[in-house]
Amino acid sequence: MSAADPSLWDAEAPAFDEAPDHGLLDEGVRAAWRELLLGVLPPAPAGVADLGCGTATLALLLGEEGYRVEALDFSPAMVALATAKLDAAPPTVRSLVTVREGNAADPGLAPASVDVVLCRHVLWALPDPVSVVRRWVAALRPGGRLVLVEGDWSTGAGLTARRCAQIVGESCTRVEVRRLPEPALWGREVTDERYLVVALP
Ligand SMILES: C[S@@+](CC[C@H](N)C(=O)[O-])C[C@H]1O[C@@H](n2cnc3c(N)ncnc32)[C@H](O)[C@@H]1O
């Protein structure tokens, strides 16, 4: 089973939110992600496509902040959990966030239809990432941006920041990489490479 196989992620889904950075159940970790994302996103109610949304933790966090979020994932189990969380959210959030099954590599977004493509911990798992990022950039409105969070993890999985910047640089003119070593984001000390990429076409 590879990371490109939805059944792997179906198996991960039941315990997925137990990791501090996944479920954001700890208020301190949640606040750290809120601050990080709000610091790099355009103001609400910008439109965000959250591709490979998992259980939609980030999508709901942004919905709470007034963003319009279209979230998708190819794992039926992740989408089921995301939908359950969305159903339990306040009506204001439910009116701003949608969740559906879909392929992050080819999400079917109309050209120039979103302000932000947000993707956390997914690009590393996608075949042909250069073509994928090109597709994402085509979905951005003028003034839009890519916001990616990736890592080169101690597990052996992932993507180096250098390689990620090269991939994104194939279709973006401004690519900024920020390292994310802060324990507040992960709920513990980390020693592997974790980073944020903000890129403009
Ligand atoms: C490590 S999890 C990250 C989830 C979420 N972005 C987050 O940060 O909480 C990776 C997610 O990407 C999804 N995924 C992987 N490849 C995908 C693809 N081609 N299309 C849609 N979702 C995909 C998996 O199902 C899984 O939910």
PDB file of all heavy atoms in Angstrom, residues 5-46:
ATOM      1  N   ASP A   5      -2.628   5.585  -2.204  1.00  0.00           N
ATOM      2  CA  ASP A   5      -3.742   4.639  -2.139  1.00  0.00           C
ATOM      3  C   ASP A   5      -4.722   5.097  -1.047  1.00  0.00           C
ATOM      4  O   ASP A   5      -4.368   5.133   0.137  1.00  0.00           O
ATOM      5  CB  ASP A   5      -3.165   3.257  -1.806  1.00  0.00           C
ATOM      6  CG  ASP A   5      -4.227   2.182  -1.728  1.00  0.00           C
ATOM      7  OD1 ASP A   5      -5.433   2.528  -1.687  1.00  0.00           O
ATOM      8  OD2 ASP A   5      -3.848   1.002  -1.692  1.00  0.00           O
ATOM      9  N   PRO A   6      -5.951   5.443  -1.410  1.00  0.00           N
ATOM     10  CA  PRO A   6      -6.893   5.932  -0.398  1.00  0.00           C
ATOM     11  C   PRO A   6      -7.098   4.959   0.757  1.00  0.00           C
ATOM     12  O   PRO A   6      -7.382   5.384   1.882  1.00  0.00           O
ATOM     13  CB  PRO A   6      -8.201   6.119  -1.184  1.00  0.00           C
ATOM     14  CG  PRO A   6      -7.829   6.133  -2.619  1.00  0.00           C
ATOM     15  CD  PRO A   6      -6.517   5.417  -2.756  1.00  0.00           C
ATOM     16  N   SER A   7      -6.942   3.656   0.505  1.00  0.00           N
ATOM     17  CA  SER A   7      -7.224   2.699   1.588  1.00  0.00           C
ATOM     18  C   SER A   7      -6.213   2.842   2.724  1.00  0.00           C
ATOM     19  O   SER A   7      -6.534   2.560   3.885  1.00  0.00           O
ATOM     20  CB  SER A   7      -7.297   1.265   1.065  1.00  0.00           C
ATOM     21  OG  SER A   7      -6.101   0.922   0.455  1.00  0.00           O
ATOM     22  N   LEU A   8      -4.988   3.301   2.403  1.00  0.00           N
ATOM     23  CA  LEU A   8      -4.023   3.551   3.479  1.00  0.00           C
ATOM     24  C   LEU A   8      -4.565   4.634   4.408  1.00  0.00           C
ATOM     25  O   LEU A   8      -4.509   4.525   5.630  1.00  0.00           O
ATOM     26  CB  LEU A   8      -2.678   3.987   2.893  1.00  0.00           C
ATOM     27  CG  LEU A   8      -1.576   4.311   3.907  1.00  0.00           C
ATOM     28  CD1 LEU A   8      -0.233   3.822   3.401  1.00  0.00           C
ATOM     29  CD2 LEU A   8      -1.492   5.808   4.202  1.00  0.00           C
ATOM     30  N   TRP A   9      -5.121   5.676   3.811  1.00  0.00           N
ATOM     31  CA  TRP A   9      -5.627   6.808   4.600  1.00  0.00           C
ATOM     32  C   TRP A   9      -6.944   6.449   5.291  1.00  0.00           C
ATOM     33  O   TRP A   9      -7.209   6.957   6.390  1.00  0.00           O
ATOM     34  CB  TRP A   9      -5.765   8.038   3.713  1.00  0.00           C
ATOM     35  CG  TRP A   9      -4.420   8.453   3.207  1.00  0.00           C
ATOM     36  CD1 TRP A   9      -3.917   8.283   1.946  1.00  0.00           C
ATOM     37  CD2 TRP A   9      -3.365   9.065   3.967  1.00  0.00           C
ATOM     38  NE1 TRP A   9      -2.626   8.748   1.872  1.00  0.00           N
ATOM     39  CE2 TRP A   9      -2.269   9.236   3.104  1.00  0.00           C
ATOM     40  CE3 TRP A   9      -3.240   9.471   5.290  1.00  0.00           C
ATOM     41  CZ2 TRP A   9      -1.068   9.807   3.515  1.00  0.00           C
ATOM     42  CZ3 TRP A   9      -2.055  10.037   5.713  1.00  0.00           C
ATOM     43  CH2 TRP A   9      -0.984  10.202   4.824  1.00  0.00           C
ATOM     44  N   ASP A  10      -7.726   5.574   4.667  1.00  0.00           N
ATOM     45  CA  ASP A  10      -8.930   5.073   5.359  1.00  0.00           C
ATOM     46  C   ASP A  10      -8.525   4.406   6.676  1.00  0.00           C
ATOM     47  O   ASP A  10      -9.181   4.587   7.706  1.00  0.00           O
ATOM     48  CB  ASP A  10      -9.660   4.044   4.486  1.00  0.00           C
ATOM     49  CG  ASP A  10     -10.509   4.685   3.390  1.00  0.00           C
ATOM     50  OD1 ASP A  10     -10.809   5.896   3.497  1.00  0.00           O
ATOM     51  OD2 ASP A  10     -10.872   3.974   2.439  1.00  0.00           O
ATOM     52  N   ALA A  11      -7.426   3.643   6.631  1.00  0.00           N
ATOM     53  CA  ALA A  11      -6.970   2.939   7.837  1.00  0.00           C
ATOM     54  C   ALA A  11      -6.456   3.925   8.885  1.00  0.00           C
ATOM     55  O   ALA A  11      -6.554   3.679  10.087  1.00  0.00           O
ATOM     56  CB  ALA A  11      -5.881   1.927   7.460  1.00  0.00           C
ATOM     57  N   GLU A  12      -5.892   5.046   8.433  1.00  0.00           N
ATOM     58  CA  GLU A  12      -5.357   6.061   9.354  1.00  0.00           C
ATOM     59  C   GLU A  12      -6.464   6.892   9.998  1.00  0.00           C
ATOM     60  O   GLU A  12      -6.275   7.499  11.056  1.00  0.00           O
ATOM     61  CB  GLU A  12      -4.443   7.036   8.599  1.00  0.00           C
ATOM     62  CG  GLU A  12      -3.175   6.433   8.030  1.00  0.00           C
ATOM     63  CD  GLU A  12      -2.123   6.196   9.101  1.00  0.00           C
ATOM     64  OE1 GLU A  12      -1.942   7.081   9.951  1.00  0.00           O
ATOM     65  OE2 GLU A  12      -1.524   5.110   9.110  1.00  0.00           O
ATOM     66  N   ALA A  13      -7.612   6.954   9.349  1.00  0.00           N
ATOM     67  CA  ALA A  13      -8.637   7.941   9.722  1.00  0.00           C
ATOM     68  C   ALA A  13      -9.113   7.855  11.181  1.00  0.00           C
ATOM     69  O   ALA A  13      -9.173   8.892  11.857  1.00  0.00           O
ATOM     70  CB  ALA A  13      -9.817   7.856   8.757  1.00  0.00           C
ATOM     71  N   PRO A  14      -9.437   6.655  11.710  1.00  0.00           N
ATOM     72  CA  PRO A  14     -10.039   6.626  13.059  1.00  0.00           C
ATOM     73  C   PRO A  14      -9.171   7.292  14.123  1.00  0.00           C
ATOM     74  O   PRO A  14      -9.701   7.931  15.032  1.00  0.00           O
ATOM     75  CB  PRO A  14     -10.218   5.126  13.322  1.00  0.00           C
ATOM     76  CG  PRO A  14     -10.318   4.506  11.970  1.00  0.00           C
ATOM     77  CD  PRO A  14      -9.408   5.307  11.084  1.00  0.00           C
ATOM     78  N   ALA A  15      -7.838   7.146  14.027  1.00  0.00           N
ATOM     79  CA  ALA A  15      -6.962   7.717  15.066  1.00  0.00           C
ATOM     80  C   ALA A  15      -6.299   9.021  14.600  1.00  0.00           C
ATOM     81  O   ALA A  15      -5.470   9.577  15.328  1.00  0.00           O
ATOM     82  CB  ALA A  15      -5.887   6.697  15.443  1.00  0.00           C
ATOM     83  N   PHE A  16      -6.691   9.499  13.431  1.00  0.00           N
ATOM     84  CA  PHE A  16      -5.952  10.617  12.823  1.00  0.00           C
ATOM     85  C   PHE A  16      -5.904  11.848  13.726  1.00  0.00           C
ATOM     86  O   PHE A  16      -4.857  12.476  13.901  1.00  0.00           O
ATOM     87  CB  PHE A  16      -6.581  10.976  11.471  1.00  0.00           C
ATOM     88  CG  PHE A  16      -5.753  11.942  10.681  1.00  0.00           C
ATOM     89  CD1 PHE A  16      -4.608  11.523  10.009  1.00  0.00           C
ATOM     90  CD2 PHE A  16      -6.105  13.277  10.611  1.00  0.00           C
ATOM     91  CE1 PHE A  16      -3.828  12.420   9.288  1.00  0.00           C
ATOM     92  CE2 PHE A  16      -5.331  14.178   9.888  1.00  0.00           C
ATOM     93  CZ  PHE A  16      -4.198  13.747   9.229  1.00  0.00           C
ATOM     94  N   ASP A  17      -7.027  12.189  14.318  1.00  0.00           N
ATOM     95  CA  ASP A  17      -7.092  13.438  15.097  1.00  0.00           C
ATOM     96  C   ASP A  17      -6.373  13.355  16.440  1.00  0.00           C
ATOM     97  O   ASP A  17      -6.261  14.373  17.136  1.00  0.00           O
ATOM     98  CB  ASP A  17      -8.556  13.855  15.311  1.00  0.00           C
ATOM     99  CG  ASP A  17      -9.102  14.603  14.104  1.00  0.00           C
ATOM    100  OD1 ASP A  17      -8.330  14.876  13.163  1.00  0.00           O
ATOM    101  OD2 ASP A  17     -10.315  14.921  14.104  1.00  0.00           O
ATOM    102  N   GLU A  18      -5.865  12.160  16.785  1.00  0.00           N
ATOM    103  CA  GLU A  18      -5.157  12.050  18.068  1.00  0.00           C
ATOM    104  C   GLU A  18      -3.803  12.758  18.043  1.00  0.00           C
ATOM    105  O   GLU A  18      -3.308  13.187  19.085  1.00  0.00           O
ATOM    106  CB  GLU A  18      -4.971  10.569  18.434  1.00  0.00           C
ATOM    107  CG  GLU A  18      -6.287   9.911  18.818  1.00  0.00           C
ATOM    108  CD  GLU A  18      -6.162   8.405  18.978  1.00  0.00           C
ATOM    109  OE1 GLU A  18      -5.021   7.883  19.090  1.00  0.00           O
ATOM    110  OE2 GLU A  18      -7.220   7.734  18.974  1.00  0.00           O
ATOM    111  N   ALA A  19      -3.193  12.893  16.876  1.00  0.00           N
ATOM    112  CA  ALA A  19      -1.927  13.645  16.794  1.00  0.00           C
ATOM    113  C   ALA A  19      -2.238  15.122  17.040  1.00  0.00           C
ATOM    114  O   ALA A  19      -3.196  15.658  16.463  1.00  0.00           O
ATOM    115  CB  ALA A  19      -1.284  13.450  15.425  1.00  0.00           C
ATOM    116  N   PRO A  20      -1.442  15.780  17.882  1.00  0.00           N
ATOM    117  CA  PRO A  20      -1.778  17.162  18.263  1.00  0.00           C
ATOM    118  C   PRO A  20      -1.984  18.094  17.075  1.00  0.00           C
ATOM    119  O   PRO A  20      -2.910  18.921  17.081  1.00  0.00           O
ATOM    120  CB  PRO A  20      -0.569  17.593  19.105  1.00  0.00           C
ATOM    121  CG  PRO A  20      -0.006  16.319  19.647  1.00  0.00           C
ATOM    122  CD  PRO A  20      -0.266  15.271  18.607  1.00  0.00           C
ATOM    123  N   ASP A  21      -1.150  17.968  16.037  1.00  0.00           N
ATOM    124  CA  ASP A  21      -1.268  18.881  14.887  1.00  0.00           C
ATOM    125  C   ASP A  21      -2.382  18.468  13.933  1.00  0.00           C
ATOM    126  O   ASP A  21      -2.734  19.232  13.034  1.00  0.00           O
ATOM    127  CB  ASP A  21       0.066  18.979  14.142  1.00  0.00           C
ATOM    128  CG  ASP A  21       0.573  17.633  13.668  1.00  0.00           C
ATOM    129  OD1 ASP A  21       0.645  16.695  14.499  1.00  0.00           O
ATOM    130  OD2 ASP A  21       0.890  17.489  12.467  1.00  0.00           O
ATOM    131  N   HIS A  22      -2.929  17.274  14.110  1.00  0.00           N
ATOM    132  CA  HIS A  22      -4.039  16.845  13.239  1.00  0.00           C
ATOM    133  C   HIS A  22      -5.380  17.316  13.799  1.00  0.00           C
ATOM    134  O   HIS A  22      -6.123  18.019  13.139  1.00  0.00           O
ATOM    135  CB  HIS A  22      -4.047  15.314  13.095  1.00  0.00           C
ATOM    136  CG  HIS A  22      -2.881  14.787  12.321  1.00  0.00           C
ATOM    137  ND1 HIS A  22      -2.564  13.454  12.266  1.00  0.00           N
ATOM    138  CD2 HIS A  22      -1.941  15.417  11.568  1.00  0.00           C
ATOM    139  CE1 HIS A  22      -1.494  13.280  11.517  1.00  0.00           C
ATOM    140  NE2 HIS A  22      -1.091  14.452  11.087  1.00  0.00           N
ATOM    141  N   GLY A  23      -5.663  16.901  15.032  1.00  0.00           N
ATOM    142  CA  GLY A  23      -6.977  17.230  15.605  1.00  0.00           C
ATOM    143  C   GLY A  23      -7.056  18.627  16.188  1.00  0.00           C
ATOM    144  O   GLY A  23      -8.142  19.175  16.359  1.00  0.00           O
ATOM    145  N   LEU A  24      -5.881  19.210  16.506  1.00  0.00           N
ATOM    146  CA  LEU A  24      -5.826  20.541  17.159  1.00  0.00           C
ATOM    147  C   LEU A  24      -6.752  20.563  18.378  1.00  0.00           C
ATOM    148  O   LEU A  24      -7.486  21.533  18.583  1.00  0.00           O
ATOM    149  CB  LEU A  24      -6.182  21.670  16.183  1.00  0.00           C
ATOM    150  CG  LEU A  24      -5.344  21.763  14.896  1.00  0.00           C
ATOM    151  CD1 LEU A  24      -5.727  23.012  14.104  1.00  0.00           C
ATOM    152  CD2 LEU A  24      -3.856  21.749  15.188  1.00  0.00           C
ATOM    153  N   LEU A  25      -6.703  19.481  19.144  1.00  0.00           N
ATOM    154  CA  LEU A  25      -7.579  19.376  20.313  1.00  0.00           C
ATOM    155  C   LEU A  25      -7.022  20.157  21.502  1.00  0.00           C
ATOM    156  O   LEU A  25      -7.771  20.538  22.396  1.00  0.00           O
ATOM    157  CB  LEU A  25      -7.764  17.895  20.681  1.00  0.00           C
ATOM    158  CG  LEU A  25      -8.405  17.062  19.556  1.00  0.00           C
ATOM    159  CD1 LEU A  25      -8.378  15.575  19.894  1.00  0.00           C
ATOM    160  CD2 LEU A  25      -9.837  17.529  19.290  1.00  0.00           C
ATOM    161  N   ASP A  26      -5.710  20.381  21.492  1.00  0.00           N
ATOM    162  CA  ASP A  26      -5.082  21.190  22.541  1.00  0.00           C
ATOM    163  C   ASP A  26      -5.200  22.665  22.152  1.00  0.00           C
ATOM    164  O   ASP A  26      -4.833  23.052  21.036  1.00  0.00           O
ATOM    165  CB  ASP A  26      -3.607  20.789  22.662  1.00  0.00           C
ATOM    166  CG  ASP A  26      -2.879  21.637  23.692  1.00  0.00           C
ATOM    167  OD1 ASP A  26      -2.437  22.764  23.351  1.00  0.00           O
ATOM    168  OD2 ASP A  26      -2.774  21.180  24.834  1.00  0.00           O
ATOM    169  N   GLU A  27      -5.716  23.468  23.058  1.00  0.00           N
ATOM    170  CA  GLU A  27      -5.996  24.870  22.696  1.00  0.00           C
ATOM    171  C   GLU A  27      -4.737  25.636  22.310  1.00  0.00           C
ATOM    172  O   GLU A  27      -4.764  26.495  21.424  1.00  0.00           O
ATOM    173  CB  GLU A  27      -6.751  25.569  23.845  1.00  0.00           C
ATOM    174  CG  GLU A  27      -7.418  26.866  23.443  1.00  0.00           C
ATOM    175  CD  GLU A  27      -8.107  26.830  22.063  1.00  0.00           C
ATOM    176  OE1 GLU A  27      -8.970  25.969  21.815  1.00  0.00           O
ATOM    177  OE2 GLU A  27      -7.749  27.678  21.197  1.00  0.00           O
ATOM    178  N   GLY A  28      -3.602  25.294  22.942  1.00  0.00           N
ATOM    179  CA  GLY A  28      -2.353  25.977  22.604  1.00  0.00           C
ATOM    180  C   GLY A  28      -1.899  25.649  21.181  1.00  0.00           C
ATOM    181  O   GLY A  28      -1.461  26.528  20.425  1.00  0.00           O
ATOM    182  N   VAL A  29      -2.007  24.367  20.806  1.00  0.00           N
ATOM    183  CA  VAL A  29      -1.613  23.945  19.454  1.00  0.00           C
ATOM    184  C   VAL A  29      -2.576  24.562  18.433  1.00  0.00           C
ATOM    185  O   VAL A  29      -2.164  25.064  17.384  1.00  0.00           O
ATOM    186  CB  VAL A  29      -1.594  22.399  19.352  1.00  0.00           C
ATOM    187  CG1 VAL A  29      -1.272  21.965  17.924  1.00  0.00           C
ATOM    188  CG2 VAL A  29      -0.593  21.814  20.339  1.00  0.00           C
ATOM    189  N   ARG A  30      -3.833  24.555  18.779  1.00  0.00           N
ATOM    190  CA  ARG A  30      -4.841  25.152  17.884  1.00  0.00           C
ATOM    191  C   ARG A  30      -4.554  26.645  17.657  1.00  0.00           C
ATOM    192  O   ARG A  30      -4.597  27.142  16.529  1.00  0.00           O
ATOM    193  CB  ARG A  30      -6.218  24.968  18.530  1.00  0.00           C
ATOM    194  CG  ARG A  30      -7.381  25.282  17.643  1.00  0.00           C
ATOM    195  CD  ARG A  30      -8.697  24.907  18.331  1.00  0.00           C
ATOM    196  NE  ARG A  30      -9.785  25.192  17.438  1.00  0.00           N
ATOM    197  CZ  ARG A  30     -10.144  24.419  16.421  1.00  0.00           C
ATOM    198  NH1 ARG A  30      -9.521  23.303  16.194  1.00  0.00           N
ATOM    199  NH2 ARG A  30     -11.148  24.753  15.625  1.00  0.00           N
ATOM    200  N   ALA A  31      -4.218  27.330  18.727  1.00  0.00           N
ATOM    201  CA  ALA A  31      -3.928  28.763  18.625  1.00  0.00           C
ATOM    202  C   ALA A  31      -2.685  29.002  17.769  1.00  0.00           C
ATOM    203  O   ALA A  31      -2.627  29.968  16.998  1.00  0.00           O
ATOM    204  CB  ALA A  31      -3.745  29.360  20.019  1.00  0.00           C
ATOM    205  N   ALA A  32      -1.701  28.110  17.885  1.00  0.00           N
ATOM    206  CA  ALA A  32      -0.466  28.276  17.096  1.00  0.00           C
ATOM    207  C   ALA A  32      -0.759  28.137  15.604  1.00  0.00           C
ATOM    208  O   ALA A  32      -0.250  28.908  14.777  1.00  0.00           O
ATOM    209  CB  ALA A  32       0.571  27.246  17.544  1.00  0.00           C
ATOM    210  N   TRP A  33      -1.599  27.165  15.235  1.00  0.00           N
ATOM    211  CA  TRP A  33      -1.950  27.002  13.816  1.00  0.00           C
ATOM    212  C   TRP A  33      -2.827  28.142  13.320  1.00  0.00           C
ATOM    213  O   TRP A  33      -2.687  28.607  12.185  1.00  0.00           O
ATOM    214  CB  TRP A  33      -2.625  25.645  13.585  1.00  0.00           C
ATOM    215  CG  TRP A  33      -1.598  24.557  13.533  1.00  0.00           C
ATOM    216  CD1 TRP A  33      -1.211  23.721  14.543  1.00  0.00           C
ATOM    217  CD2 TRP A  33      -0.760  24.235  12.411  1.00  0.00           C
ATOM    218  NE1 TRP A  33      -0.195  22.905  14.121  1.00  0.00           N
ATOM    219  CE2 TRP A  33       0.103  23.182  12.822  1.00  0.00           C
ATOM    220  CE3 TRP A  33      -0.649  24.721  11.103  1.00  0.00           C
ATOM    221  CZ2 TRP A  33       1.052  22.624  11.963  1.00  0.00           C
ATOM    222  CZ3 TRP A  33       0.296  24.154  10.247  1.00  0.00           C
ATOM    223  CH2 TRP A  33       1.128  23.124  10.674  1.00  0.00           C
ATOM    224  N   ARG A  34      -3.732  28.597  14.180  1.00  0.00           N
ATOM    225  CA  ARG A  34      -4.586  29.731  13.794  1.00  0.00           C
ATOM    226  C   ARG A  34      -3.713  30.947  13.476  1.00  0.00           C
ATOM    227  O   ARG A  34      -3.854  31.580  12.434  1.00  0.00           O
ATOM    228  CB  ARG A  34      -5.569  30.045  14.916  1.00  0.00           C
ATOM    229  CG  ARG A  34      -6.572  31.142  14.544  1.00  0.00           C
ATOM    230  CD  ARG A  34      -7.410  31.595  15.726  1.00  0.00           C
ATOM    231  NE  ARG A  34      -8.239  30.543  16.275  1.00  0.00           N
ATOM    232  CZ  ARG A  34      -8.127  30.022  17.497  1.00  0.00           C
ATOM    233  NH1 ARG A  34      -7.205  30.473  18.338  1.00  0.00           N
ATOM    234  NH2 ARG A  34      -8.926  29.070  17.914  1.00  0.00           N
ATOM    235  N   GLU A  35      -2.765  31.218  14.365  1.00  0.00           N
ATOM    236  CA  GLU A  35      -1.897  32.387  14.177  1.00  0.00           C
ATOM    237  C   GLU A  35      -1.030  32.226  12.922  1.00  0.00           C
ATOM    238  O   GLU A  35      -0.885  33.164  12.134  1.00  0.00           O
ATOM    239  CB  GLU A  35      -1.023  32.559  15.419  1.00  0.00           C
ATOM    240  CG  GLU A  35      -0.187  33.822  15.381  1.00  0.00           C
ATOM    241  CD  GLU A  35       0.750  33.918  16.583  1.00  0.00           C
ATOM    242  OE1 GLU A  35       0.483  33.279  17.613  1.00  0.00           O
ATOM    243  OE2 GLU A  35       1.742  34.644  16.460  1.00  0.00           O
ATOM    244  N   LEU A  36      -0.495  31.030  12.729  1.00  0.00           N
ATOM    245  CA  LEU A  36       0.354  30.800  11.552  1.00  0.00           C
ATOM    246  C   LEU A  36      -0.433  31.043  10.267  1.00  0.00           C
ATOM    247  O   LEU A  36       0.006  31.761   9.364  1.00  0.00           O
ATOM    248  CB  LEU A  36       0.889  29.363  11.573  1.00  0.00           C
ATOM    249  CG  LEU A  36       1.755  28.971  10.372  1.00  0.00           C
ATOM    250  CD1 LEU A  36       3.123  29.633  10.464  1.00  0.00           C
ATOM    251  CD2 LEU A  36       1.913  27.454  10.273  1.00  0.00           C
ATOM    252  N   LEU A  37      -1.619  30.429  10.183  1.00  0.00           N
ATOM    253  CA  LEU A  37      -2.393  30.518   8.938  1.00  0.00           C
ATOM    254  C   LEU A  37      -2.941  31.927   8.712  1.00  0.00           C
ATOM    255  O   LEU A  37      -2.857  32.459   7.594  1.00  0.00           O
ATOM    256  CB  LEU A  37      -3.526  29.491   8.945  1.00  0.00           C
ATOM    257  CG  LEU A  37      -3.043  28.028   8.903  1.00  0.00           C
ATOM    258  CD1 LEU A  37      -4.212  27.076   9.035  1.00  0.00           C
ATOM    259  CD2 LEU A  37      -2.259  27.735   7.627  1.00  0.00           C
ATOM    260  N   LEU A  38      -3.456  32.537   9.756  1.00  0.00           N
ATOM    261  CA  LEU A  38      -4.015  33.888   9.565  1.00  0.00           C
ATOM    262  C   LEU A  38      -2.917  34.879   9.185  1.00  0.00           C
ATOM    263  O   LEU A  38      -3.182  35.878   8.512  1.00  0.00           O
ATOM    264  CB  LEU A  38      -4.758  34.360  10.813  1.00  0.00           C
ATOM    265  CG  LEU A  38      -6.003  33.550  11.197  1.00  0.00           C
ATOM    266  CD1 LEU A  38      -6.771  34.234  12.323  1.00  0.00           C
ATOM    267  CD2 LEU A  38      -6.925  33.300  10.012  1.00  0.00           C
ATOM    268  N   GLY A  39      -1.684  34.556   9.555  1.00  0.00           N
ATOM    269  CA  GLY A  39      -0.561  35.423   9.203  1.00  0.00           C
ATOM    270  C   GLY A  39      -0.180  35.374   7.740  1.00  0.00           C
ATOM    271  O   GLY A  39       0.519  36.280   7.259  1.00  0.00           O
ATOM    272  N   VAL A  40      -0.612  34.336   7.021  1.00  0.00           N
ATOM    273  CA  VAL A  40      -0.213  34.214   5.613  1.00  0.00           C
ATOM    274  C   VAL A  40      -1.400  34.188   4.638  1.00  0.00           C
ATOM    275  O   VAL A  40      -1.199  34.201   3.422  1.00  0.00           O
ATOM    276  CB  VAL A  40       0.675  32.963   5.373  1.00  0.00           C
ATOM    277  CG1 VAL A  40       1.973  33.089   6.141  1.00  0.00           C
ATOM    278  CG2 VAL A  40      -0.052  31.678   5.749  1.00  0.00           C
ATOM    279  N   LEU A  41      -2.610  34.141   5.171  1.00  0.00           N
ATOM    280  CA  LEU A  41      -3.789  34.133   4.287  1.00  0.00           C
ATOM    281  C   LEU A  41      -4.258  35.564   4.033  1.00  0.00           C
ATOM    282  O   LEU A  41      -4.079  36.439   4.894  1.00  0.00           O
ATOM    283  CB  LEU A  41      -4.935  33.351   4.940  1.00  0.00           C
ATOM    284  CG  LEU A  41      -4.730  31.847   5.114  1.00  0.00           C
ATOM    285  CD1 LEU A  41      -5.943  31.237   5.810  1.00  0.00           C
ATOM    286  CD2 LEU A  41      -4.495  31.164   3.784  1.00  0.00           C
ATOM    287  N   PRO A  42      -4.899  35.792   2.877  1.00  0.00           N
ATOM    288  CA  PRO A  42      -5.576  37.079   2.701  1.00  0.00           C
ATOM    289  C   PRO A  42      -6.741  37.155   3.689  1.00  0.00           C
ATOM    290  O   PRO A  42      -7.151  36.131   4.242  1.00  0.00           O
ATOM    291  CB  PRO A  42      -6.077  37.020   1.247  1.00  0.00           C
ATOM    292  CG  PRO A  42      -6.131  35.573   0.907  1.00  0.00           C
ATOM    293  CD  PRO A  42      -5.114  34.875   1.750  1.00  0.00           C
ATOM    294  N   PRO A  43      -7.275  38.340   3.928  1.00  0.00           N
ATOM    295  CA  PRO A  43      -8.340  38.450   4.934  1.00  0.00           C
ATOM    296  C   PRO A  43      -9.591  37.652   4.544  1.00  0.00           C
ATOM    297  O   PRO A  43      -9.885  37.485   3.360  1.00  0.00           O
ATOM    298  CB  PRO A  43      -8.662  39.951   4.949  1.00  0.00           C
ATOM    299  CG  PRO A  43      -7.596  40.628   4.165  1.00  0.00           C
ATOM    300  CD  PRO A  43      -6.947  39.624   3.289  1.00  0.00           C
ATOM    301  N   ALA A  44     -10.327  37.182   5.546  1.00  0.00           N
ATOM    302  CA  ALA A  44     -11.636  36.572   5.322  1.00  0.00           C
ATOM    303  C   ALA A  44     -12.556  37.648   4.751  1.00  0.00           C
ATOM    304  O   ALA A  44     -12.362  38.836   5.066  1.00  0.00           O
ATOM    305  CB  ALA A  44     -12.176  36.042   6.645  1.00  0.00           C
ATOM    306  N   PRO A  45     -13.504  37.268   3.880  1.00  0.00           N
ATOM    307  CA  PRO A  45     -13.944  35.912   3.542  1.00  0.00           C
ATOM    308  C   PRO A  45     -13.321  35.380   2.249  1.00  0.00           C
ATOM    309  O   PRO A  45     -14.048  34.926   1.358  1.00  0.00           O
ATOM    310  CB  PRO A  45     -15.442  36.113   3.364  1.00  0.00           C
ATOM    311  CG  PRO A  45     -15.549  37.496   2.737  1.00  0.00           C
ATOM    312  CD  PRO A  45     -14.397  38.292   3.296  1.00  0.00           C
ATOM    313  N   ALA A  46     -12.002  35.413   2.142  1.00  0.00           N
ATOM    314  CA  ALA A  46     -11.345  34.852   0.956  1.00  0.00           C
ATOM    315  C   ALA A  46     -11.764  33.384   0.786  1.00  0.00           C
ATOM    316  O   ALA A  46     -12.111  32.707   1.755  1.00  0.00           O
ATOM    317  CB  ALA A  46      -9.832  34.967   1.124  1.00  0.00           C
TER     318      ALA A  46
END
